[in-house]
Amino acid sequence: EDKVVQSPLSLVVHEGDTVTLNCSYEVTNFRSLLWYKQEKKAPTFLFMLTSSGIEKKSGRLSSILDKKELFSILNITATQTGDSAVYLCAGHNSGTYKYIFGTGTRLKVLA
Amino acid sequence: NAGVTQTPKFQVLKTGQSMTLQCAQDMNHEYMSWYRQDPGMGLRLIHYSVGAGITDQGEVPNGYNVSRSTTEDFPLRLLSAAPSQTSVYFCASSTYYGQGARETQYFGPGTRLLVL
């Protein structure tokens, strides 16, 4: 059965800190891994990763995929209070066409 | 371009009632899906569709029906509501090229459902 596990479950940091969120996956017919940010509403897309070792960056956020070790990390540098959210990752199974989500990491950034 | 829209935003039902959650997208996406989100459980797939006339079950399909008569619309029907179906429901869509979705899923704003 496909599975995605995120760690830590929750995290509290101070503004300016750097955080690393982890996502490990066991997904057959793996095609891609997606990261989302969810505040109080619907998840919003951050990154889609399909190739190992290629870092994707957007401002202070970056992510990388390791297809050999079956994990991905999301880094946030110089955190701000606006980064407080639940961060979700999902693996895509191209055989079943399904996205399998982890339970998320809840990040709280204190001023 | 409205993206993915869902109605209603909030609904209260009594146990045993039926209702339909509406989802529509205007991006001509082939792939559409329904998720429910419960505290501590993440997003769980209910049903999905890779094109008009094609639907399949996700992780938690019991108590829900779907149909896909057009590319744009993907309604979710609750047949006989139960308190366990109290949740936030998200609809999502993405492009699909025969080997699975090639782009990220775009999510609708969600429907909050309370079953008493």
Side-chain angles (χ1 to χ4, degrees):
Chain A
E1 185 179 323
D2 293 341
K3 185 169 61 172
V4 173
V5 178
Q6 292 186 246
S7 63
L9 291 179
S10 65
L11 194 54
V12 180
V13 300
H14 289 92
E15 272 193 319
D17 289 348
T18 294
V19 298
T20 299
L21 309 183
N22 303 296
C23 176
S24 64
Y25 65 90
E26 294 176 25
V27 175
T28 52
N29 299 307
F30 174 81
R31 180 169 187 87
S32 59
L33 189 127
L34 287 77
W35 283 97
Y36 290 87
K37 178 182 181 182
Q38 186 176 27
E39 296 172 89
K40 292 185 179 177
K41 300 179 181 177
T44 54
F45 172 72
L46 295 175
F47 299 110
M48 183 171 75
L49 303 152
T50 56
S51 301
S52 268
I54 299 175
E55 185 183 49
K56 294 236 177 158
K57 284 196 71 136
S58 176
R60 296 176 294 102
L61 277 66
S62 64
S63 184
I64 198 160
L65 177 69
D66 185 327
K67 291 172 78 172
K68 183 179 176 186
E69 300 297 330
L70 307 182
F71 76 91
S72 175
I73 60 172
L74 175 68
N75 277 324
I76 309 175
T77 59
T79 52
Q80 302 171 356
T81 55
D83 295 327
S84 295
V86 174
Y87 290 83
L88 298 165
C89 70
H92 184 237
N93 182 324
S94 65
T96 62
Y97 317 126
K98 295 177 184 177
Y99 293 87
I100 301 91
F101 279 82
T103 54
T105 293
R106 184 175 296 276
L107 173 66
K108 187 171 179 63
V109 182
L110 302 176
Chain B
N1 187 334
V4 181
T5 59
Q6 290 183 239
T7 57
K9 291 183 181 177
F10 179 69
Q11 183 73 45
V12 179
L13 291 179
K14 293 182 180 177
T15 296
Q17 287 185 315
S18 63
M19 80 160 293
T20 299
L21 308 186
Q22 301 291 346
C23 174
Q25 52 90 9
D26 60 0
M27 297 175 281
N28 202 32
H29 284 169
E30 299 91 340
Y31 187 102
M32 296 185 74
S33 51
W34 277 102
Y35 295 89
R36 60 177 288 173
Q37 188 172 37
D38 304 294
M41 300 290 288
L43 285 159
R44 292 185 292 168
L45 183 65
I46 306 172
H47 286 285
Y48 66 100
S49 168
V50 297
I54 307 168
T55 63
D56 207 343
Q57 296 181 350
E59 295 175 72
V60 288
N62 293 337
Y64 307 94
N65 271 357
V66 292
S67 60
R68 184 98 180 269
S69 56
T70 67
T71 299
E72 293 78 20
D73 300 299
F74 191 42
L76 178 72
R77 296 182 191 83
L78 279 69
L79 308 172
S80 176
S84 60
Q85 294 179 304
T86 293
S87 189
V88 179
Y89 291 85
F90 289 104
C91 178
S93 76
S94 67
T95 53
Y96 167 73
Y97 294 111
Q99 290 294 321
R102 294 292 180 90
E103 294 184 12
T104 184
Q105 291 191 102
Y106 296 89
F107 283 84
T111 293
R112 187 174 295 274
L113 178 67
L114 174 62
V115 183
L116 302 174

